[in-house]
Amino acid sequence: MRYLYINSKLDIGNKEYQTSILPTELKDIKNYNISRSSNNYYLQFNFNKFDNLPHQGFKIHISATIFNYQKVLDLIFDFCNKHKISFKCISNLNELRKNFSGISSLWSTGKFITMYPKTNDQFVSIIKQLYCIDALKVEEGIHVLTDKRYENSNNIFYRYGVIRGNDKYIYNQKKERLYEDYQVLSYRLPQFINEPFPTNKVKINAKYVYKKYIPIKALNSKAAGSVFFAKTKDGKLCVLKTAAYGYSDGETTPIEKLKNEKHIIKKLKLNFIPEYIEDFYEGEDYFLVESYMQGMEVGDFRALPQNNFKTQKSSKVTIKFKKIINDLINKVNKLHDMNIFIGDISSKNIIVNPNTDTVLFIDLDQTHFIRNNNLTDKAFYRTLGYFDNKISNLMPKEQDLEQLGYLLIAFFCKANMFLGVDTSGNTTIRFFEKFAKENEIPQFFINMSLNLIRYHNIDLKNITDELNSNSKICYKETKQPLFPGKLYKKLSKTLQCAKLDKLYINKKIDITKDNDFIHSDKLKFVWLNIIRNNQNVEKYFEKKEIRCKVWNSLYCIEEKLNLLAKNEKVEHLYLENIINLISCSIEIAHKYGCSEEKLLKLENVINLVIKEYQVSAYGNIGYKVTYLSKYLSPYLSDGTAGILYVLLNIKKYFNINTYNKLILKLARSLSKNTIPKNASLYHGLGGIILSLVKYRKGFSDTSLDCKIKQMISNLEYYAIEYDDNTYIISPTYTQGTLDFENGNEGILFALDFAKVMF
């Protein structure tokens, strides 16, 4: 994050993070020039003027641990106050604990304090002075992955990057753009900057890694430790797990957890858990080598086209799922019979082998032996999305059963994600039952999942008996979908209350300050305003120079797409950026006219997108979110709904009928997404509804009305009530949202647009 430029007095703004970290000697905040990040994550002390700082330069990061952060902060505060150097620090203890335990972003881990020198010379002077502070030398710190460690310091790191301004790019001396900051995780310098400390080199004296064990591919990367698919010197496959020194959340360390896993797999020696090979230290970091277990995550297994109950031969899919789930339950039961508490049951640590219809347990760092119905050691770490708020009141084996129930839900849909915003589990269960109903999932799978969540003393043997004796029973839709008038009123009331309370502010965008439209979020907001027929759209494009920039960007996209077609390497081209640009180009061409040449360019870009990004499978059409991505999106932002919307506008504004057949196929493919993972207008169901209703109006085709009505009635399953207000759950599943892009306002717009259906 760059230098925060907020007016001098403390900006209390968003209360997402409560301040709980301050320097000890800070007596009165009025005596300091303090600013905040918009979500209150960072607190910044502005001891020098903002205008004196450059756009880019060297930054100093000071690390610490959960045990000494206050002492380190006090030392840096005194130093910066004395030398008039601005710095920021993480100001919420819960977030700092996440950072120091290694579960936060790789980009931010260890960066407790960030200092901003004004010049390169001052940077060199400051870092040398910091290194001489004896009280700082003895304090431990977390390693900062993006930075270079200074000398042999425990806690002083530095990197070159953007310091102030909204521009994320690094420039050369001629003010030419070189690259975007934070695109590469490792330490990086632009060509015209010399390494300030050329003799400051990291020494690596590895005895095992890259000698005895060679990492091939990262399977899971975290700052506190990673998992690698590896091979031995003689070519045998294995898994290499690392635990970094220094990380702790105050309760335990990654090294302690990984050593617990070693203890468990050495003692159990079961064929469905990894086999112990070796463990060792490289420096202060701990490594565990295990046998490689072949399989795939539950989410990847669920996404296989052949596992769709609705589009494939359901009896065949049912038999496969029965075998796998039966194997899973039997193995959990076997561990319980051995008095083992698994501790963390999720799609991350239990994988599926679809060739053998079996499951494997690959991460056992939270697994413990039970003695007298108590744990020999306490385990508190579980994967979010696989437990609800009552789990802490359950006995160890009962906790496993609840997590098992939520894991079974993950075999069929992504309803687990709603636990991020509704910890009671009610929203997850409601969504799961509705999803199962629409996707013809056998009733006994649903009963089994919910019984495990609700009845914690259930006998697993009885569950497998029921699973093996049941025949397929599916839900049947009995009621004709109605317009969700009650939901509409609740969402509208909540939005109006928020406007009165000034909690909801509509963004205002100035697109004149950014030349690079291809990589800018600004055209996204313009397109969203085009969709909602906002009067400000003409204001965005009233200047001829802005219209020229959009056309130039379109020409640039055409060149890059042509290079892709020739299999030449180009930078990542996100379909979202391309759709935004095409949509704005169509709007300009419609409102201001364009030459035949420009219209042909526009069609050519669309044709290239269809050629390079479109994928057809099982009679459906989808679009890759990037050229190399395996993920297909149905959404307005970067997928089928967005392409459909664009093609409908091309037909409407310019009477181009070339795409009529494709439009029909897209609409039919899109109509099968009746209950996707979220409701957002831009990233979810709301945009799918919008595009299909637009298609219905443009083609006077009512054949998809039942499907569209079904989608509209499903919107209630993405809403959550809080304090008598109703919010659409965000695509991140962390909060209720109100805005047009993802929240109440966007869904209300889609419902207004779709009222004609009813």
Side-chain angles (χ1 to χ4, degrees):
M1 181 166 176
R2 296 169 301 285
Y3 187 94
L4 309 173
Y5 184 35
I6 305 174
N7 288 333
S8 58
K9 291 187 179 178
L10 186 66
D11 176 18
I12 58 173
N14 188 335
K15 287 294 185 184
E16 186 174 347
Y17 299 114
Q18 185 176 3
T19 301
S20 52
I21 297 174
L22 281 174
T24 305
E25 296 301 318
L26 188 68
K27 303 301 181 186
D28 190 344
I29 60 171
K30 293 178 181 178
N31 297 331
Y32 298 91
N33 186 350
I34 300 175
S35 55
R36 309 292 308 264
S37 57
S38 60
N39 60 359
N40 289 0
Y41 186 87
Y42 289 106
L43 187 68
Q44 182 161 298
F45 294 87
N46 303 304
F47 290 127
N48 55 8
K49 290 185 179 179
F50 173 77
D51 294 335
N52 291 339
L53 292 173
H55 165 73
Q56 64 196 48
F58 282 101
K59 296 184 281 189
I60 301 170
H61 288 116
I62 306 297
S63 186
T65 71
I66 199 65
F67 304 106
N68 67 3
Y69 72 89
Q70 188 65 58
K71 185 174 181 180
V72 171
L73 177 58
D74 290 344
L75 288 169
I76 297 303
F77 177 78
D78 290 342
F79 179 87
C80 289
N81 195 5
K82 178 181 177 181
H83 296 281
K84 302 306 174 190
I85 303 160
S86 291
F87 79 93
K88 72 180 180 189
C89 66
I90 298 172
S91 63
N92 177 270
L93 183 55
N94 287 332
E95 292 306 309
L96 189 66
R97 187 174 281 113
K98 289 179 187 176
N99 190 295
F100 287 165
S101 64
I103 62 173
S104 59
S105 164
L106 290 170
W107 302 98
S108 62
T109 298
K111 297 178 182 177
F112 173 40
I113 295 171
T114 306
M115 299 170 63
Y116 300 101
K118 290 187 287 187
T119 64
N120 288 1
D121 289 340
Q122 189 189 41
F123 156 70
V124 172
S125 173
I126 289 170
I127 206 166
K128 286 181 177 179
Q129 291 179 70
L130 286 169
Y131 189 64
C132 292
I133 300 174
D134 290 335
L136 190 60
K137 280 184 179 180
V138 298
E139 298 301 330
E140 296 288 338
I142 305 300
H143 181 67
V144 179
L145 296 173
T146 62
D147 291 26
K148 199 169 186 179
R149 186 189 298 272
Y150 181 69
E151 297 292 345
N152 62 349
S153 170
N154 294 325
N155 43 39
I156 303 173
F157 300 83
Y158 63 92
R159 74 181 298 271
Y160 190 94
V162 174
I163 291 179
R164 71 180 179 99
N166 294 320
D167 190 337
K168 300 176 183 177
Y169 287 89
I170 300 296
Y171 293 84
N172 63 17
Q173 293 155 308
K174 296 180 180 179
K175 305 299 181 185
E176 296 169 335
R177 184 176 287 176
L178 294 178
Y179 58 85
E180 189 173 353
D181 198 9
Y182 282 111
Q183 289 297 299
V184 179
L185 188 60
S186 58
Y187 178 78
R188 182 181 189 181
L189 291 177
Q191 291 180 347
F192 68 95
I193 295 293
N194 295 322
E195 168 57 46
F197 309 106
T199 61
N200 184 32
K201 295 180 180 178
V202 178
K203 296 178 181 179
I204 301 175
N205 297 315
K207 296 178 181 179
Y208 298 91
V209 181
Y210 292 106
K211 292 182 179 178
K212 190 174 182 180
Y213 301 104
I214 300 125
I216 299 171
K217 179 184 177 183
L219 301 176
N220 185 7
S221 294
K222 291 182 181 177
S226 300
V227 181
F228 296 94
F229 177 46
K231 65 180 179 180
T232 61
K233 199 173 181 180
D234 56 1
K236 292 181 181 178
L237 298 178
C238 62
V239 170
L240 181 67
K241 296 186 175 182
T242 73
Y245 173 78
Y247 289 90
S248 174
D249 58 5
E251 298 287 341
T252 189
T253 69
I255 292 178
E256 289 170 344
K257 288 191 280 186
L258 194 54
K259 283 188 173 182
N260 179 65
E261 178 164 346
K262 178 196 78 170
H263 169 69
I264 291 292
I265 63 175
K266 283 185 77 174
K267 191 161 186 175
L268 292 182
K269 295 182 180 178
L270 297 169
N271 63 0
F272 56 88
I273 68 172
E275 180 184 348
Y276 169 80
I277 297 175
E278 187 177 12
D279 65 301
F280 54 86
Y281 278 91
E282 292 278 27
E284 295 179 315
D285 295 339
Y286 177 70
F287 291 76
L288 175 63
V289 188
E290 303 174 344
S291 61
Y292 173 65
M293 311 287 280
Q294 188 172 10
M296 61 198 310
E297 286 192 9
V298 170
D300 294 331
F301 172 75
R302 179 188 66 236
L304 293 174
Q306 62 267 32
N307 289 339
N308 189 310
F309 284 87
K310 199 169 184 178
T311 60
Q312 304 303 306
K313 191 174 181 180
S314 59
S315 59
K316 187 176 179 181
V317 180
T318 300
I319 290 169
K320 191 169 191 69
F321 273 72
K322 270 188 174 185
K323 286 180 179 178
I324 292 168
I325 291 173
N326 190 62
D327 184 64
L328 169 62
I329 292 173
N330 284 333
K331 285 171 178 172
V332 170
N333 198 39
K334 182 172 184 175
L335 290 170
H336 281 186
D337 286 344
M338 297 170 69
N339 268 338
I340 296 291
F341 168 57
I342 302 167
D344 186 13
I345 296 178
S346 76
S347 62
K348 297 295 182 184
N349 51 27
I350 295 177
I351 59 174
V352 178
N353 187 330
N355 298 321
T356 59
D357 294 337
T358 58
V359 299
L360 303 162
F361 293 62
I362 58 169
D363 285 314
L364 296 157
D365 61 353
Q366 296 301 310
T367 299
H368 296 269
F369 289 94
I370 302 172
R371 299 283 186 269
N372 299 321
N373 217 20
N374 290 312
L375 300 176
T376 54
D377 294 292
K378 291 185 178 180
F380 300 102
Y381 307 92
R382 304 180 183 90
T383 304
L384 292 175
Y386 295 88
F387 63 93
D388 57 42
N389 56 17
K390 64 179 177 293
I391 197 165
S392 59
N393 299 320
L394 304 177
M395 300 302 290
K397 290 181 182 178
E398 294 176 343
Q399 294 180 26
D400 279 351
L401 295 188
E402 178 178 293
Q403 291 180 92
L404 179 60
Y406 282 116
L407 176 60
L408 293 186
I409 288 178
F411 269 90
F412 304 101
C413 70
K414 293 191 72 172
N416 305 62
M417 302 298 291
F418 291 113
L419 282 160
V421 68
D422 180 7
T423 58
S424 71
N426 293 334
T427 303
T428 293
I429 291 169
R430 284 177 62 244
F431 185 90
F432 174 49
E433 289 180 315
K434 182 63 177 178
F435 182 92
K437 183 177 183 180
E438 297 206 359
N439 288 275
E440 300 177 7
I441 294 169
Q443 179 73 52
F444 54 80
F445 284 135
I446 286 75
N447 292 344
M448 180 173 51
S449 306
L450 300 186
N451 284 340
L452 283 165
I453 293 169
R454 289 167 174 161
Y455 309 114
H456 303 106
N457 58 352
I458 199 165
D459 189 335
L460 290 179
K461 290 179 182 177
N462 292 339
I463 285 201
T464 54
D465 290 343
E466 184 181 350
L467 179 65
N468 294 324
S469 64
N470 268 301
S471 57
K472 181 183 176 186
I473 305 172
C474 293
Y475 288 108
K476 294 293 180 183
E477 184 71 63
T478 56
K479 294 182 180 178
Q480 181 72 16
L482 301 173
F483 183 79
K486 186 181 288 187
L487 176 68
Y488 184 94
K489 289 178 181 177
K490 287 182 176 181
L491 293 177
S492 181
K493 174 243 180 182
T494 300
L495 183 62
Q496 298 310 315
C497 287
K499 287 180 178 179
L500 286 172
D501 294 339
K502 298 182 180 178
L503 296 174
Y504 175 71
I505 300 173
N506 220 336
K507 287 188 177 179
K508 294 181 180 179
I509 301 298
D510 181 3
I511 67 171
T512 62
K513 293 182 180 179
D514 196 334
N515 292 324
D516 192 351
F517 288 155
I518 294 175
H519 299 285
S520 171
D521 281 342
K522 294 182 177 180
L523 285 196
K524 173 183 76 174
F525 293 107
V526 175
W527 186 38
L528 286 169
N529 277 306
I530 290 171
I531 290 170
R532 71 202 295 190
N533 298 315
N534 193 308
Q535 294 178 350
N536 289 326
V537 171
E538 289 188 21
K539 194 175 175 182
Y540 294 137
F541 296 130
E542 62 187 7
K543 291 183 180 179
K544 187 177 180 180
E545 62 180 284
I546 299 298
R547 302 199 295 272
C548 289
K549 285 178 183 178
V550 174
W551 284 118
N552 289 339
S553 296
L554 189 76
Y555 280 43
C556 181
I557 281 284
E558 183 191 33
E559 290 176 14
K560 292 180 179 180
L561 289 171
N562 278 321
L563 289 174
L564 279 182
K566 295 175 184 176
N567 292 319
E568 294 188 29
K569 287 185 178 180
V570 296
E571 62 189 288
H572 264 311
L573 286 179
Y574 290 91
L575 186 59
E576 178 180 2
N577 294 335
I578 300 172
I579 290 176
N580 291 337
L581 191 60
I582 292 172
S583 303
C584 290
S585 301
I586 290 172
E587 184 70 14
I588 290 171
H590 168 58
K591 291 283 176 64
Y592 297 92
C594 71
S595 64
E596 187 175 340
E597 178 200 356
K598 286 181 178 176
L599 195 56
L600 288 172
K601 286 285 182 187
L602 190 55
E603 286 187 76
N604 191 44
V605 170
I606 293 171
N607 293 336
L608 284 167
V609 168
I610 292 168
K611 179 185 174 185
E612 302 300 331
Y613 285 76
Q614 185 171 292
V615 177
S616 298
Y618 297 98
N620 296 322
I621 295 176
Y623 289 88
K624 298 181 289 186
V625 294
T626 67
Y627 179 67
L628 297 175
S629 174
K630 295 180 181 178
Y631 174 69
L632 304 182
S633 167
Y635 303 128
L636 191 66
S637 58
D638 55 6
T640 311
I643 298 296
L644 177 59
Y645 204 98
V646 162
L647 297 182
L648 288 168
N649 278 345
I650 282 280
K651 175 180 173 63
K652 177 182 177 182
Y653 295 146
F654 309 110
N655 199 29
I656 295 173
N657 297 311
T658 313
Y659 304 107
N660 282 5
K661 288 185 178 179
L662 177 59
I663 287 172
L664 296 174
K665 289 180 181 177
L666 292 180
R668 276 154 180 72
S669 294
L670 205 55
S671 68
K672 297 173 184 177
N673 293 279
T674 54
I675 189 160
K677 62 182 182 180
N678 64 81
S680 159
L681 182 90
Y682 192 58
H683 302 282
L685 181 58
I688 293 174
I689 292 169
L690 198 70
S691 293
L692 285 174
V693 174
K694 186 177 177 69
Y695 158 77
R696 181 187 185 272
K697 290 179 178 180
F699 277 72
S700 301
D701 181 1
T702 58
S703 65
L704 301 179
D705 279 14
C706 286
K707 289 287 187 184
I708 301 172
K709 287 180 179 179
Q710 195 175 352
M711 291 179 189
I712 293 168
S713 67
N714 287 345
L715 287 169
E716 66 175 290
Y717 295 95
Y718 302 88
I720 186 168
E721 292 197 10
Y722 181 75
D723 281 350
D724 203 33
N725 280 323
T726 304
Y727 303 87
I728 292 297
I729 296 171
S730 72
T732 59
Y733 306 98
T734 56
Q735 59 186 355
T737 47
L738 295 163
D739 62 15
F740 186 78
E741 181 179 340
N742 293 314
N744 289 27
E745 188 177 7
I747 297 305
L748 288 168
F749 178 84
L751 287 173
D752 281 329
F753 193 68
K755 275 182 178 176
V756 65
M757 301 271 312
F758 297 87

